[in-house]
Amino acid sequence: MRTAPAQGRRATPRVPGWKRALRRDWRLYSLAVLPVLFLLLFKYVPMLGNIVAFRSYTPGGSMFGDEWVGFEYFEAVFGDAMFWRAFANTVIIGGITLIFVFPLPIILALLLNEVRLRWFKQLVQTVSYLPHFMSIVIVASFVKELTSLDGTINAIVGAFGGDPVNWLQEPDYFRAIYVISEAWQTVGWGTILYLAALTTIDEGLYEAARIDGANRLQQTWHVTLPGIRPTMMVLLILNIGQFMAVGFEKILLLYNPLTTETAEVLSTYVYTIGIKSGVPSYATAIGLFEAIIGLVLVVSANTISRKMTGASLW
């Protein structure tokens, strides 16, 4: 026999789902407080400084400047031959880095995935990871030592009867030196992500491919690469987003007045104009232009990737 509900009893108010989740997992959410504060203080709040690009600003004055000048600095930027040289160098170095450095972690991960000697695999992983944890200053010092007149490279050249070359003083060699050093420093770290992605591929797919008569190369092409394609596309989008922000620290440490023609990129040009020359409004205009290009590249790459492969950041 069902009893009638008590008269006058009020229904329990329904707590929103996000409040229940916050109340239940508040310890977990508390871990995000510091990262969120970091993003707000060092990523979003500094965006307010972009107003400097539209005002006449002098160091030590108000951040909002003394006078509204509109697009005056942008017009000066687009008419600056030095800016276009730095822009061209950025595109060339960024393009070469993306084309040659991006595939290397994928190739190394595929090769390590075929290694059956556990100790050898761990040795290669350790040796390739170490450069990532080195300071940029140490990496630049290694590069300078290797390419100096009495360095290792010139010793090898001399052993074959060649004349020593001061590699970092020659504009034609700078881009190659930068890309090679970037590959040496980053390839091992990138391999970690692809090796992790390889562990998620169902072994049954390989078994089915072997039953169909596929060899190791065909298994890699038809099973392995499609299995890690989402990871590849996400990392490609992130790399494209950093396309215009070519390694500022390393280039700043390696280049010199003799190699400015091929080594000056937008990030170092902004540093030169804004800090050395003391024209922050002009430098901010360049930085804002660079950021807009980066945003367009990320959105475009994400849209194309989502339509063609189904993998995207959002």
mmCIF file of all heavy atoms in Angstrom, residues 2 169 196 244 284 311:
data_model
loop_
_atom_site.group_PDB
_atom_site.id
_atom_site.type_symbol
_atom_site.label_atom_id
_atom_site.label_comp_id
_atom_site.label_asym_id
_atom_site.label_seq_id
_atom_site.Cartn_x
_atom_site.Cartn_y
_atom_site.Cartn_z
ATOM 1 N N ARG A 2 0.640 2.134 -0.964
ATOM 2 C CA ARG A 2 1.485 3.321 -1.104
ATOM 3 C C ARG A 2 0.919 4.442 -0.261
ATOM 4 O O ARG A 2 -0.272 4.751 -0.337
ATOM 5 C CB ARG A 2 1.567 3.727 -2.574
ATOM 6 C CG ARG A 2 2.595 4.808 -2.812
ATOM 7 C CD ARG A 2 2.910 4.912 -4.283
ATOM 8 N NE ARG A 2 1.659 5.062 -5.075
ATOM 9 C CZ ARG A 2 1.641 5.083 -6.417
ATOM 10 N NH1 ARG A 2 2.768 4.916 -7.083
ATOM 11 N NH2 ARG A 2 0.498 5.223 -7.062
ATOM 12 N N GLN A 169 80.295 33.515 -38.369
ATOM 13 C CA GLN A 169 80.534 34.833 -38.940
ATOM 14 C C GLN A 169 80.063 34.913 -40.393
ATOM 15 O O GLN A 169 80.136 35.984 -41.005
ATOM 16 C CB GLN A 169 82.029 35.179 -38.872
ATOM 17 C CG GLN A 169 82.636 35.124 -37.482
ATOM 18 C CD GLN A 169 82.068 36.180 -36.558
ATOM 19 O OE1 GLN A 169 81.704 37.254 -36.996
ATOM 20 N NE2 GLN A 169 82.010 35.865 -35.275
ATOM 21 N N ALA A 196 54.225 7.744 -26.493
ATOM 22 C CA ALA A 196 53.022 7.578 -25.673
ATOM 23 C C ALA A 196 51.802 7.304 -26.550
ATOM 24 O O ALA A 196 50.948 6.476 -26.205
ATOM 25 C CB ALA A 196 52.800 8.823 -24.821
ATOM 26 N N MET A 244 55.799 32.142 -36.106
ATOM 27 C CA MET A 244 56.368 33.491 -36.170
ATOM 28 C C MET A 244 57.264 33.801 -34.977
ATOM 29 O O MET A 244 58.067 34.732 -35.033
ATOM 30 C CB MET A 244 55.249 34.534 -36.250
ATOM 31 C CG MET A 244 54.356 34.395 -37.469
ATOM 32 S SD MET A 244 55.245 34.545 -39.022
ATOM 33 C CE MET A 244 55.786 36.251 -38.945
ATOM 34 N N THR A 284 55.915 47.518 -29.931
ATOM 35 C CA THR A 284 54.629 46.900 -29.615
ATOM 36 C C THR A 284 53.788 46.711 -30.870
ATOM 37 O O THR A 284 53.084 45.714 -31.014
ATOM 38 C CB THR A 284 53.859 47.763 -28.600
ATOM 39 O OG1 THR A 284 54.656 47.945 -27.430
ATOM 40 C CG2 THR A 284 52.555 47.097 -28.198
ATOM 41 N N ALA A 311 40.862 15.793 -36.553
ATOM 42 C CA ALA A 311 41.613 16.109 -35.328
ATOM 43 C C ALA A 311 41.848 17.613 -35.257
ATOM 44 O O ALA A 311 42.208 18.237 -36.246
ATOM 45 C CB ALA A 311 42.964 15.390 -35.334
#
